[in-house]
Amino acid sequence: MSENKPLQNPMNAVNPRRWAALAVVLVASFMDAVDVTVVNMALPSIEREVGASTSELQWITGGYALAFALGLITGGRLGDLFGRRRIFLLGMAGFTLTSLICGVSHSPELLLGGRVAQGAMAALMVPQVLSLIHVTFPERERGKVFGIYGAVMALGTVTGPLIGALIVEGDLMGWGWRPIFLVNIPLGVAGLLAGALVISESKAERAARLDIVGVVLAAAGLLALVLPLTQGRELGWPAWTYVSMAASAPLLALFVAWERRLTRRGGSPLVVLSLFSRRSFAGGQGVQLMFGLASGVFFLAWTLYLQLGLGWSPLRAGLSGLPLSAAMMAGAGVSMQVLVPRFGRVVLQAGALLATAGMLLYLYLAQHYGAGIAPWQAIVPLIPVGLGMGLIVAPLTDLILSEVPHEHAGSASGLTNTTIQLGQAVGVALSSVAFFGRLGHGGPAEQAQRMPHAFADSLWYVAGVFAAAFVLLFAVPRLAGRKPGGAGEQRRPEEHQERVPVS
């Protein structure tokens, strides 16, 4: 995440190439948004074709999120230091290459390695997009451009599962799930060629130095937690898994101590710890973490439940998610424009309770009807879940940043985006206990029989996480009567970086 530093703009404010440059960076943003979710509907096919284990399936989804989250911390600063155009094109080239590796993989090890590398390359590419928009467009046009950017990101996250389902169901040229990755290659090559021609270089005048020690300590602490959670059940929980999880706490404590020491010495810490002294910021980050945890557990278990437990096709499963996406977009729209300005924080808390109720309804129906659940019964609970998630996610970043000082707005916004990605990675890892632990071992037929009840049991965790988010929201300011974007008075539009996880 880049510091809030002045930007150099070598381009004329009316540069005729600015819209072409926007098209390039929006294609890159769309590719990333789709790739976060597109793989979900292909997981059963990947499991059958390459023989991936349950832990490897978790790494294929969670590894991308973890690498993306850890890379976001430094990706923006690399652009400030070495040039945003240069780092953007490097990230896009790497994203294209790793997509090829994923698409031609014939072993789960190569596929999950490609996915982790793909997440790392996205972390180089994505943070440059908003900065490039800022230095390319005059101030009078930025509001419209940021609106277009937000719409493209929302479209990518919402349509990702459906795109994945269509590709897998269509079995293009007999390649099965592989085109979900291979489609990035022509887009990436075209983006690289066009980007080299139409994007101009820019750097920050006073870019912060990289906190390499902080990056290593944060990565080590998180990996020490995620690795045993993901692998432990499949290996029978050997002693090293407990040692590793126990070691994650002192490693993360050491990270905090280092960040404090670096701050006292006048350095540029990875995380501005003083931000957490504000209840609104600390509570809001907790809600972001809960949101990521819930998404990580639910969407992985839900995808496998529909296809392997109920026997639905990938396309049918993908279409069943549309009511959730539509409800989420509706909730987000009414939350930002109508409800939050009038009622403030209580709207987000109502969203948390709606999502909790939807999960409990789904739990009841899955337990009561088992594999005989009707299609409408498997879809109806998603509507309150989607509405609730939309009521929370749209205004949350604005509320989190409402009390953040101007000089730390960039760091706070970047950390908010990182938190939800980390939550998703940890949530996917926790599915070993919440979902796969209930599923147990055995052949496909045995697991399919146990799938509905394992899915229902996982919803206890998800409902509990949304309930915890309800409690944490008491730390967020009430903010009733404030216009949408009021917190934005303390930061520039380009510092507002938010991803909406839908799947």
Side-chain angles (χ1 to χ4, degrees):
M1 73 196 89
S2 55
E3 293 291 330
N4 182 20
K5 299 291 184 182
L7 302 171
Q8 292 178 344
N9 185 358
M11 302 177 63
N12 189 288
V14 291
N15 184 348
R17 296 182 300 175
R18 65 191 184 280
W19 294 105
L22 176 65
V24 173
V25 298
L26 288 182
V27 166
S29 299
F30 184 79
M31 288 167 58
D32 166 64
V34 167
D35 265 66
V36 172
T37 59
V38 73
V39 73
N40 284 3
M41 289 299 164
L43 287 176
S45 300
I46 292 172
E47 181 183 28
R48 288 192 300 268
E49 184 171 332
V50 302
S53 65
T54 56
S55 64
E56 287 165 338
L57 289 179
Q58 290 171 265
W59 277 116
I60 289 168
T61 54
Y64 182 100
L66 183 61
F68 185 84
L70 293 174
L72 273 176
I73 296 174
T74 56
R77 289 186 181 176
L78 287 172
D80 290 345
L81 284 167
F82 301 109
R84 301 182 182 94
R85 173 181 176 271
R86 179 180 300 167
I87 299 300
F88 173 80
L89 293 178
L90 176 63
M92 178 170 268
F95 193 87
T96 304
L97 177 61
T98 53
S99 296
L100 175 62
I101 292 171
C102 291
V104 301
S105 297
H106 288 278
S107 70
E109 294 81 10
L110 183 59
L111 178 56
L112 68 87
R115 280 289 284 175
V116 171
Q118 193 182 38
M121 293 300 103
L124 291 180
M125 179 175 67
V126 171
Q128 317 311 323
V129 172
L130 294 177
S131 294
L132 285 169
I133 289 174
H134 175 75
V135 300
T136 303
F137 284 84
E139 186 174 356
R140 67 180 181 275
E141 294 180 342
R142 286 181 202 149
K144 177 170 66 175
V145 173
F146 285 121
I148 296 171
Y149 167 81
V152 168
M153 291 296 291
L155 181 65
T157 53
V158 166
T159 60
L162 185 57
I163 291 172
L166 287 169
I167 289 175
V168 174
E169 191 85 1
D171 193 19
L172 304 176
M173 294 180 285
W175 290 352
W177 53 269
R178 300 179 186 280
I180 68 174
F181 299 114
L182 297 177
V183 72
N184 289 333
I185 297 171
L187 290 174
V189 171
L192 280 169
L193 294 175
L197 293 173
V198 301
I199 298 175
S200 294
E201 188 58 282
S202 65
K203 297 181 182 180
E205 292 180 359
R206 296 184 299 277
R209 293 182 178 180
L210 293 176
D211 178 12
I212 300 297
V213 175
V215 172
V216 171
L217 288 174
L222 291 167
L223 192 61
L225 176 64
V226 171
L227 179 62
L229 281 175
T230 305
Q231 303 288 146
R233 185 196 67 86
E234 203 163 88
L235 298 176
W237 297 104
W240 71 263
T241 58
Y242 296 101
V243 172
S244 180
M245 285 188 284
S248 66
L251 281 170
L252 292 174
L254 188 59
F255 165 74
V256 171
W258 169 260
E259 297 298 283
R260 286 176 174 168
R261 179 173 180 265
L262 196 60
T263 301
R264 288 195 301 268
R265 296 172 59 186
S268 300
L270 202 60
V271 176
V272 181
L273 296 175
S274 61
L275 293 172
F276 289 91
S277 63
R278 293 168 171 82
R279 289 178 64 239
S280 60
F281 185 83
Q285 293 300 332
V287 175
Q288 288 282 66
L289 185 64
M290 294 299 104
F291 201 94
L293 286 171
S295 299
V297 173
F298 175 73
F299 288 109
L300 177 59
W302 178 67
T303 299
L304 297 178
Y305 161 70
L306 294 182
Q307 295 188 52
L308 301 183
L310 303 184
W312 291 13
S313 69
L315 181 57
R316 188 179 183 185
L319 289 172
S320 72
L322 290 182
L324 183 147
S325 299
M328 187 172 180
M329 294 179 71
V334 73
S335 176
M336 284 294 289
Q337 300 301 320
V338 179
L339 297 179
V340 169
R342 184 174 180 183
F343 300 108
R345 181 188 67 199
V346 70
V347 176
L348 284 78
Q349 292 181 300
L353 293 179
L354 259 179
T356 303
M359 288 298 174
L360 291 176
L361 175 60
Y362 212 155
L363 187 158
Y364 167 76
L365 293 171
Q367 277 188 334
H368 186 72
Y369 293 101
I373 191 171
W376 70 268
Q377 292 170 325
I379 293 174
V380 165
L382 298 178
I383 296 174
V385 171
L387 281 171
M389 293 171 74
L391 290 176
I392 297 171
V393 74
L396 183 59
T397 299
D398 194 49
L399 300 185
I400 288 172
L401 302 182
S402 62
E403 297 179 349
V404 170
H406 176 82
E407 63 269 20
H408 294 315
S411 294
S413 187
L415 182 60
T416 299
N417 195 23
T418 298
T419 300
I420 199 165
Q421 298 300 319
L422 287 175
Q424 285 183 301
V426 176
V428 171
L430 281 172
S431 64
S432 279
V433 178
F435 175 66
F436 291 109
R438 299 290 186 177
L439 192 60
H441 299 281
E446 294 173 300
Q447 290 197 337
Q449 189 175 10
R450 292 192 293 263
M451 188 77 69
H453 293 290
F455 172 67
D457 286 344
S458 73
L459 296 183
W460 282 114
Y461 289 82
V462 182
V465 168
F466 278 123
F470 169 80
V471 175
L472 286 170
L473 280 165
F474 280 105
V476 175
R478 292 180 181 274
L479 296 175
R482 192 170 62 88
K483 293 181 180 180
E489 294 171 1
Q490 297 180 358
R491 65 189 187 279
R492 299 192 308 269
E494 71 275 8
E495 294 163 343
H496 184 116
Q497 303 180 34
E498 175 62 22
R499 288 171 62 121
V500 180
V502 173
S503 162

